[in-house]
Amino acid sequence: MEDPAASGGDRLAKQRSIRLERLSSIRPKLVSFARMHLRDNAMAEDAVQEALMAAIEKDATFAGRSGYDTWVFGILKYKILDIMRYQKRQGRLQPLDDEESDEVIDRQFRKNGRWEAHSRPASWGDPDAVIESQHFWRVFDACMIALPENTARVFSLRELMGLSTEEICGLLEIRESNCWVILHRARLRLRQCIEKGWLEGETA
Amino acid sequence: MMMCKEASRLMSLKHERSLTFQERMSLRFHLSMCGACRQCDRQFRLLHEACRGYGIDHEVDP
Ligand SMILES: [Zn+2]
């Protein structure tokens, strides 16, 4: 007769090993995410290592309410923010230099403030289908990497980490109005880059 | 009258703070007449929604 406790244990062990495999497969994505914020390879590797260890340790507390990847990303986000706050206290957080001019944005609009023909937004189709598409996420990642470092960092703190602009300003020591300008540029760049990659990929 | 460049600034800004009455009205007016900006508005919103789910691979969880 089957021992219910043993088979329950087997099931848990199996789940655990599936998750360990999952961790190693998402590792590269975690590292590039951490690198974008910390701008230091060794530090990014450390943050990911710590997050992975925490994920393994706390495996039992994963409630399964959200996806496993999201849960691991959540752990990494905390690690990254901890490191950034620590760097700030130490005065070692690299300040944002406002190196990007408005030139890129100006290129998307005519002098009279209307869209240039080459950057005029087109339809991406059904939003739910877009978000579900693997192709969209590949294009998204490529476009994030193509952003200037400062722009990527602010955008990611805001949209991927969910910080308020007030918190971002405190952390990076920039004015809130400056933050808004950077986010506007980031969105314009991203939408143009994604539209190019997305629509071209659709027809390819 | 507000042009697309300024409209796109407000479309972005509304994801950070609530727009003033004046800003909302000018934006709404522009959007009612400009298809390209309506697309842009949808795309900014999609970016915002998509980012909240970043890191989720769209596979069935084991
Ligand atoms: Zn317009």
Side-chain angles (χ1 to χ4, degrees), chain A residues 177-194:
Chain A
S177 58
N178 192 4
C179 210
W180 292 335
V181 171
I182 296 172
L183 287 166
H184 180 211
R185 284 182 198 153
R187 292 193 176 101
L188 282 175
R189 274 174 175 272
L190 277 175
R191 69 139 296 277
Q192 190 178 39
C193 175
I194 289 171

Side-chain angles (χ1 to χ4, degrees), chain A residues 43-102:
Chain A
M43 228 179 285
E45 293 279 347
D46 285 352
V48 170
Q49 202 53 42
E50 274 186 40
L52 292 181
M53 268 152 51
I56 293 165
E57 260 170 42
K58 294 192 217 159
D59 189 70
T61 71
F62 168 62
R65 259 177 267 112
S66 59
Y68 185 63
D69 293 7
T70 316
W71 181 70
V72 178
F73 255 88
I75 297 174
L76 179 63
K77 286 177 191 175
Y78 277 108
K79 297 278 172 205
I80 292 173
L81 280 177
D82 272 353
I83 295 174
M84 288 182 80
R85 290 195 178 110
Y86 175 75
Q87 285 180 324
K88 180 177 154 51
R89 282 199 300 276
Q90 302 275 308
R92 286 192 293 116
L93 191 65
Q94 283 190 55
L96 282 187
D97 32 302
D98 193 24
E99 93 265 288
E100 202 201 344
S101 68
D102 272 337

Side-chain angles (χ1 to χ4, degrees), chain A residues 2-20:
Chain A
E2 204 187 347
D3 178 358
S7 68
D10 283 353
R11 196 166 47 83
L12 281 179
K14 186 160 180 277
Q15 268 184 6
R16 232 182 115 87
S17 83
I18 289 172
R19 285 186 195 149
L20 283 175

Side-chain angles (χ1 to χ4, degrees), chain B residues 15-52:
Chain B
H15 292 283
E16 272 73 64
R17 67 156 168 86
S18 1
L19 301 182
T20 65
F21 180 75
Q22 179 68 44
E23 287 168 336
R24 267 205 319 278
M25 287 303 121
S26 334
L27 179 59
R28 194 178 295 173
F29 182 64
H30 182 89
L31 289 179
S32 72
M33 307 199 313
C34 180
C37 281
R38 282 198 294 277
Q39 292 299 343
C40 183
D41 193 41
R42 283 190 202 118
Q43 292 169 6
F44 283 180
R45 199 161 44 224
L46 189 145
L47 277 178
H48 181 72
E49 306 272 314
C51 283
R52 296 208 319 226

